[in-house]
CSV table of all heavy atoms in Angstrom, one decimal:
chain,number,residue,atom,x,y,z
A,892,PRO,N,9.5,51.7,21.0
A,892,PRO,CA,8.8,50.6,20.3
A,892,PRO,C,9.7,49.9,19.3
A,892,PRO,O,10.4,50.6,18.5
A,892,PRO,CB,7.7,51.3,19.6
A,892,PRO,CG,7.4,52.6,20.4
A,892,PRO,CD,8.8,53.0,20.9
A,893,GLY,N,9.8,48.6,19.3
A,893,GLY,CA,10.6,47.9,18.4
A,893,GLY,C,12.1,47.8,18.8
A,893,GLY,O,12.9,47.0,18.2
A,894,GLU,N,12.5,48.5,19.8
A,894,GLU,CA,13.9,48.6,20.2
A,894,GLU,C,14.3,47.3,21.1
A,894,GLU,O,13.5,46.9,21.9
A,894,GLU,CB,14.2,49.8,21.0
A,894,GLU,CG,15.7,50.0,21.4
A,894,GLU,CD,15.9,51.2,22.3
A,894,GLU,OE1,14.9,51.9,22.6
A,894,GLU,OE2,17.1,51.5,22.5
A,895,THR,N,15.5,46.8,20.9
A,895,THR,CA,16.0,45.8,21.7
A,895,THR,C,17.2,46.3,22.5
A,895,THR,O,18.1,46.9,22.0
A,895,THR,CB,16.5,44.6,20.8
A,895,THR,OG1,15.3,44.0,20.2
A,895,THR,CG2,17.1,43.5,21.7
A,896,GLY,N,17.2,46.0,23.8
A,896,GLY,CA,18.3,46.4,24.7
A,896,GLY,C,18.9,45.1,25.3
A,896,GLY,O,18.4,44.0,25.3
A,897,HIS,N,20.2,45.3,25.8
A,897,HIS,CA,21.0,44.2,26.3
A,897,HIS,C,21.2,44.5,27.8
A,897,HIS,O,21.6,45.6,28.1
A,897,HIS,CB,22.3,44.2,25.5
A,897,HIS,CG,23.1,43.0,25.9
A,897,HIS,ND1,22.8,41.7,25.4
A,897,HIS,CD2,24.3,42.8,26.6
A,897,HIS,CE1,23.7,40.8,25.8
A,897,HIS,NE2,24.6,41.5,26.5
A,898,ILE,N,20.9,43.5,28.6
A,898,ILE,CA,21.2,43.7,30.1
A,898,ILE,C,22.0,42.6,30.6
A,898,ILE,O,22.1,41.5,30.0
A,898,ILE,CB,19.9,43.9,30.9
A,898,ILE,CG1,19.0,42.6,30.7
A,898,ILE,CG2,19.1,45.1,30.5
A,898,ILE,CD1,17.7,42.7,31.5
A,899,SER,N,22.6,42.8,31.8
A,899,SER,CA,23.4,41.7,32.4
A,899,SER,C,23.2,41.7,33.9
A,899,SER,O,22.9,42.7,34.5
A,899,SER,CB,24.9,41.9,32.0
A,899,SER,OG,25.4,43.1,32.7
A,900,PHE,N,23.4,40.5,34.5
A,900,PHE,CA,23.3,40.3,35.9
A,900,PHE,C,24.6,39.6,36.3
A,900,PHE,O,25.2,38.8,35.6
A,900,PHE,CB,22.2,39.3,36.2
A,900,PHE,CG,20.9,39.7,35.7
A,900,PHE,CD1,20.4,39.3,34.4
A,900,PHE,CD2,20.0,40.5,36.5
A,900,PHE,CE1,19.2,39.6,33.9
A,900,PHE,CE2,18.7,40.8,36.0
A,900,PHE,CZ,18.3,40.4,34.7
A,901,SER,N,25.1,40.0,37.5
A,901,SER,CA,26.3,39.3,38.1
A,901,SER,C,25.8,38.4,39.3
A,901,SER,O,25.2,38.9,40.2
A,901,SER,CB,27.2,40.4,38.6
A,901,SER,OG,27.7,41.2,37.6
A,902,LEU,N,26.2,37.2,39.2
A,902,LEU,CA,25.9,36.2,40.2
A,902,LEU,C,27.2,35.8,40.9
A,902,LEU,O,28.2,35.7,40.2
A,902,LEU,CB,25.2,35.0,39.6
A,902,LEU,CG,23.9,35.2,38.9
A,902,LEU,CD1,23.3,33.9,38.4
A,902,LEU,CD2,22.9,35.9,39.9
A,903,ASP,N,27.1,35.6,42.2
A,903,ASP,CA,28.3,35.1,43.0
A,903,ASP,C,27.9,33.8,43.8
A,903,ASP,O,26.7,33.4,43.7
A,903,ASP,CB,28.9,36.2,43.9
A,903,ASP,CG,27.8,36.7,44.9
A,903,ASP,OD1,26.9,36.0,45.2
A,903,ASP,OD2,28.0,37.8,45.4
A,904,PRO,N,28.8,33.2,44.5
A,904,PRO,CA,28.4,32.0,45.2
A,904,PRO,C,27.2,32.1,46.1
A,904,PRO,O,26.4,31.2,46.3
A,904,PRO,CB,29.7,31.7,46.1
A,904,PRO,CG,30.8,32.2,45.2
A,904,PRO,CD,30.3,33.5,44.6
A,905,ARG,N,27.0,33.3,46.7
A,905,ARG,CA,25.8,33.5,47.6
A,905,ARG,C,24.5,33.4,46.8
A,905,ARG,O,23.5,33.1,47.3
A,905,ARG,CB,25.9,34.9,48.2
A,905,ARG,CG,26.7,35.0,49.5
A,905,ARG,CD,26.1,34.3,50.7
A,905,ARG,NE,24.8,34.9,51.0
A,905,ARG,CZ,24.6,36.0,51.8
A,905,ARG,NH1,25.7,36.6,52.3
A,905,ARG,NH2,23.4,36.4,52.1
A,906,SER,N,24.6,33.7,45.5
A,906,SER,CA,23.4,33.6,44.6
A,906,SER,C,22.9,32.1,44.5
A,906,SER,O,21.7,31.9,44.2
A,906,SER,CB,23.7,34.1,43.2
A,906,SER,OG,24.2,35.4,43.2
A,907,PHE,N,23.7,31.2,44.8
A,907,PHE,CA,23.3,29.8,44.7
A,907,PHE,C,23.2,29.1,46.1
A,907,PHE,O,23.0,27.9,46.2
A,907,PHE,CB,24.4,29.0,43.9
A,907,PHE,CG,24.6,29.6,42.5
A,907,PHE,CD1,25.6,30.5,42.3
A,907,PHE,CD2,23.8,29.2,41.5
A,907,PHE,CE1,25.7,31.1,41.0
A,907,PHE,CE2,23.9,29.7,40.2
A,907,PHE,CZ,24.9,30.6,40.0
A,908,SER,N,23.4,29.8,47.1
A,908,SER,CA,23.6,29.3,48.5
A,908,SER,C,22.4,29.2,49.3
A,908,SER,O,21.4,30.0,49.1
A,908,SER,CB,24.7,30.1,49.2
A,908,SER,OG,25.9,30.0,48.6
A,909,TYR,N,22.4,28.4,50.3
A,909,TYR,CA,21.5,28.3,51.4
A,909,TYR,C,22.3,28.4,52.7
A,909,TYR,O,23.5,28.2,52.7
A,909,TYR,CB,20.6,27.0,51.4
A,909,TYR,CG,21.5,25.8,51.5
A,909,TYR,CD1,21.7,25.2,52.8
A,909,TYR,CD2,22.0,25.1,50.4
A,909,TYR,CE1,22.5,24.1,52.9
A,909,TYR,CE2,22.7,24.0,50.5
A,909,TYR,CZ,23.0,23.4,51.7
A,909,TYR,OH,23.7,22.3,51.9
A,910,PHE,N,21.6,28.8,53.8
A,910,PHE,CA,22.4,28.9,55.1
A,910,PHE,C,22.5,27.5,55.7
A,910,PHE,O,21.4,26.9,56.0
A,910,PHE,CB,21.7,29.9,56.0
A,910,PHE,CG,22.5,30.1,57.3
A,910,PHE,CD1,23.7,30.9,57.2
A,910,PHE,CD2,22.1,29.5,58.5
A,910,PHE,CE1,24.4,31.1,58.4
A,910,PHE,CE2,22.9,29.7,59.6
A,910,PHE,CZ,24.0,30.5,59.6
A,911,ASP,N,23.7,27.0,55.9
A,911,ASP,CA,23.9,25.7,56.5
A,911,ASP,C,24.1,25.9,58.0
A,911,ASP,O,25.1,26.5,58.5
A,911,ASP,CB,25.2,25.1,55.9
A,911,ASP,CG,25.5,23.8,56.5
A,911,ASP,OD1,24.6,23.1,56.9
A,911,ASP,OD2,26.7,23.4,56.5
A,912,VAL,N,23.1,25.5,58.8
A,912,VAL,CA,23.1,25.7,60.2
A,912,VAL,C,24.2,25.0,60.9
A,912,VAL,O,24.8,25.5,61.8
A,912,VAL,CB,21.7,25.1,60.8
A,912,VAL,CG1,21.7,25.3,62.3
A,912,VAL,CG2,20.5,25.9,60.2
A,913,LYS,N,24.6,23.8,60.4
A,913,LYS,CA,25.7,23.0,61.1
A,913,LYS,C,27.0,23.8,61.1
A,913,LYS,O,27.7,23.8,62.0
A,913,LYS,CB,25.8,21.6,60.4
A,913,LYS,CG,24.7,20.7,60.7
A,913,LYS,CD,24.9,19.3,60.0
A,913,LYS,CE,23.8,18.4,60.2
A,913,LYS,NZ,24.0,17.1,59.6
A,914,SER,N,27.3,24.4,59.9
A,914,SER,CA,28.6,25.1,59.8
A,914,SER,C,28.5,26.6,60.0
A,914,SER,O,29.5,27.3,60.0
A,914,SER,CB,29.2,24.8,58.4
A,914,SER,OG,28.4,25.3,57.4
A,915,SER,N,27.3,27.1,60.2
A,915,SER,CA,27.0,28.5,60.4
A,915,SER,C,27.6,29.3,59.2
A,915,SER,O,28.3,30.3,59.4
A,915,SER,CB,27.5,29.0,61.7
A,915,SER,OG,26.8,28.5,62.8
A,916,SER,N,27.4,28.8,58.0
A,916,SER,CA,27.9,29.5,56.8
A,916,SER,C,27.0,29.3,55.6
A,916,SER,O,26.0,28.5,55.7
A,916,SER,CB,29.3,28.9,56.4
A,916,SER,OG,29.2,27.5,56.1
A,917,TRP,N,27.2,30.0,54.6
A,917,TRP,CA,26.5,29.9,53.3
A,917,TRP,C,27.1,28.8,52.5
A,917,TRP,O,28.3,28.8,52.3
A,917,TRP,CB,26.5,31.2,52.6
A,917,TRP,CG,25.7,32.3,53.3
A,917,TRP,CD1,26.3,33.3,54.0
A,917,TRP,CD2,24.3,32.5,53.4
A,917,TRP,NE1,25.3,34.1,54.6
A,917,TRP,CE2,24.0,33.6,54.2
A,917,TRP,CE3,23.2,31.8,52.9
A,917,TRP,CZ2,22.8,34.1,54.5
A,917,TRP,CZ3,21.9,32.2,53.1
A,917,TRP,CH2,21.7,33.3,53.9
A,918,ARG,N,26.2,27.9,52.0
A,918,ARG,CA,26.7,26.8,51.2
A,918,ARG,C,26.0,26.6,49.9
A,918,ARG,O,24.8,26.7,49.9
A,918,ARG,CB,26.6,25.5,52.1
A,918,ARG,CG,27.1,24.2,51.3
A,918,ARG,CD,26.9,23.0,52.2
A,918,ARG,NE,27.2,21.8,51.5
A,918,ARG,CZ,28.4,21.3,51.3
A,918,ARG,NH1,29.5,21.9,51.8
A,918,ARG,NH2,28.6,20.2,50.6
A,919,ALA,N,26.8,26.5,48.8
A,919,ALA,CA,26.2,26.2,47.5
A,919,ALA,C,26.7,24.8,47.1
A,919,ALA,O,27.9,24.6,47.0
A,919,ALA,CB,26.7,27.2,46.5
A,920,ASP,N,25.8,23.9,47.0
A,920,ASP,CA,26.1,22.5,46.7
A,920,ASP,C,26.5,22.4,45.2
A,920,ASP,O,25.9,23.1,44.4
A,920,ASP,CB,25.0,21.5,47.0
A,920,ASP,CG,24.7,21.4,48.5
A,920,ASP,OD1,25.7,21.6,49.3
A,920,ASP,OD2,23.6,21.1,48.9
A,921,ALA,N,27.4,21.5,44.9
A,921,ALA,CA,27.7,21.2,43.5
A,921,ALA,C,26.5,20.6,42.8
A,921,ALA,O,25.6,20.0,43.4
A,921,ALA,CB,28.9,20.2,43.4
A,922,GLY,N,26.4,20.9,41.5
A,922,GLY,CA,25.2,20.4,40.7
A,922,GLY,C,24.6,21.4,39.8
A,922,GLY,O,25.2,22.5,39.5
A,923,ALA,N,23.5,21.1,39.3
A,923,ALA,CA,22.8,21.9,38.3
A,923,ALA,C,21.9,22.9,38.9
A,923,ALA,O,21.2,22.6,39.9
A,923,ALA,CB,22.0,21.0,37.3
A,924,TYR,N,21.9,24.1,38.3
A,924,TYR,CA,21.0,25.2,38.8
A,924,TYR,C,20.3,25.8,37.6
A,924,TYR,O,20.9,26.0,36.5
A,924,TYR,CB,21.8,26.3,39.5
A,924,TYR,CG,22.3,25.8,40.9
A,924,TYR,CD1,23.5,25.1,41.0
A,924,TYR,CD2,21.7,26.2,42.0
A,924,TYR,CE1,24.0,24.7,42.2
A,924,TYR,CE2,22.2,25.8,43.3
A,924,TYR,CZ,23.3,25.1,43.3
A,924,TYR,OH,23.8,24.7,44.6
A,925,ASP,N,19.0,26.0,37.7
A,925,ASP,CA,18.2,26.6,36.7
A,925,ASP,C,18.1,28.1,36.8
A,925,ASP,O,17.9,28.6,37.9
A,925,ASP,CB,16.7,26.1,36.7
A,925,ASP,CG,16.7,24.6,36.3
A,925,ASP,OD1,17.5,24.1,35.5
A,925,ASP,OD2,15.8,23.9,36.9
A,926,LEU,N,18.4,28.8,35.8
A,926,LEU,CA,18.3,30.3,35.7
A,926,LEU,C,17.1,30.6,34.9
A,926,LEU,O,17.0,30.2,33.7
A,926,LEU,CB,19.5,31.0,35.1
A,926,LEU,CG,20.9,30.6,35.7
A,926,LEU,CD1,22.0,31.4,35.1
A,926,LEU,CD2,20.9,30.7,37.2
A,927,THR,N,16.1,31.3,35.5
A,927,THR,CA,14.9,31.6,34.8
A,927,THR,C,14.7,33.1,34.7
A,927,THR,O,14.9,33.8,35.7
A,927,THR,CB,13.7,31.0,35.6
A,927,THR,OG1,13.9,29.6,35.8
A,927,THR,CG2,12.4,31.2,34.9
A,928,LEU,N,14.3,33.6,33.6
A,928,LEU,CA,14.2,35.0,33.3
A,928,LEU,C,12.7,35.4,32.9
A,928,LEU,O,12.1,34.6,32.1
A,928,LEU,CB,15.1,35.5,32.2
A,928,LEU,CG,15.1,36.9,31.8
A,928,LEU,CD1,15.8,37.8,32.9
A,928,LEU,CD2,15.8,37.2,30.5
A,929,GLY,N,12.2,36.4,33.4
A,929,GLY,CA,10.9,36.9,33.0
A,929,GLY,C,10.6,38.2,33.7
A,929,GLY,O,11.5,38.9,34.2
A,930,ASP,N,9.3,38.7,33.7
A,930,ASP,CA,9.0,39.9,34.4
A,930,ASP,C,8.1,39.7,35.6
A,930,ASP,O,7.4,40.7,36.0
A,930,ASP,CB,8.5,41.0,33.4
A,930,ASP,CG,7.2,40.5,32.7
A,930,ASP,OD1,6.7,39.5,33.0
A,930,ASP,OD2,6.8,41.3,31.7
A,931,SER,N,8.0,38.5,36.1
A,931,SER,CA,7.3,38.2,37.4
A,931,SER,C,7.8,36.9,37.8
A,931,SER,O,8.5,36.2,37.1
A,931,SER,CB,5.8,38.3,37.3
A,931,SER,OG,5.3,37.1,36.7
A,932,SER,N,7.4,36.5,39.1
A,932,SER,CA,7.9,35.2,39.6
A,932,SER,C,7.2,34.0,38.8
A,932,SER,O,7.7,32.9,38.9
A,932,SER,CB,7.5,35.1,41.1
A,932,SER,OG,6.1,35.2,41.3
A,933,GLN,N,6.2,34.3,38.0
A,933,GLN,CA,5.5,33.2,37.3
A,933,GLN,C,5.7,33.3,35.8
A,933,GLN,O,5.2,32.5,35.0
A,933,GLN,CB,4.0,33.1,37.7
A,933,GLN,CG,3.8,32.6,39.1
A,933,GLN,CD,2.4,32.2,39.3
A,933,GLN,OE1,1.5,32.7,38.7
A,933,GLN,NE2,2.2,31.4,40.3
A,934,ASP,N,6.3,34.4,35.3
A,934,ASP,CA,6.5,34.6,33.9
A,934,ASP,C,7.9,34.1,33.5
A,934,ASP,O,8.9,34.7,33.6
A,934,ASP,CB,6.4,36.1,33.5
A,934,ASP,CG,6.7,36.3,32.1
A,934,ASP,OD1,6.2,35.6,31.2
A,934,ASP,OD2,7.4,37.3,31.7
A,935,ASN,N,7.9,32.8,33.1
A,935,ASN,CA,9.2,32.2,32.8
A,935,ASN,C,9.4,32.1,31.3
A,935,ASN,O,9.2,31.2,30.6
A,935,ASN,CB,9.2,30.7,33.3
A,935,ASN,CG,8.9,30.7,34.8
A,935,ASN,OD1,9.4,31.5,35.5
A,935,ASN,ND2,8.1,29.7,35.2
């Protein structure tokens, strides 16, 4: 109770990528990406 902890995540190019069917590879487009943190998919 009352304690604060520090955590970290490691992201790589695949973390931003989608599968590009034309090149049969994973592609991350240049641009802005939002990183959202919470304890569920709707808790932002």
Side-chain angles (χ1 to χ4, degrees):
E894 182 183 7
T895 296
H897 190 71
I898 58 175
S899 66
F900 305 90
S901 295
L902 300 180
D903 60 21
R905 279 286 301 275
S906 304
F907 303 93
S908 297
Y909 61 90
F910 186 74
D911 182 27
V912 177
K913 290 182 181 178
S914 63
S915 294
S916 62
W917 293 101
R918 178 179 174 83
D920 292 331
Y924 289 80
D925 294 327
L926 308 184
T927 308
L928 180 75
D930 59 8
S931 79
S932 61
Q933 291 194 334
D934 177 43
N935 305 322

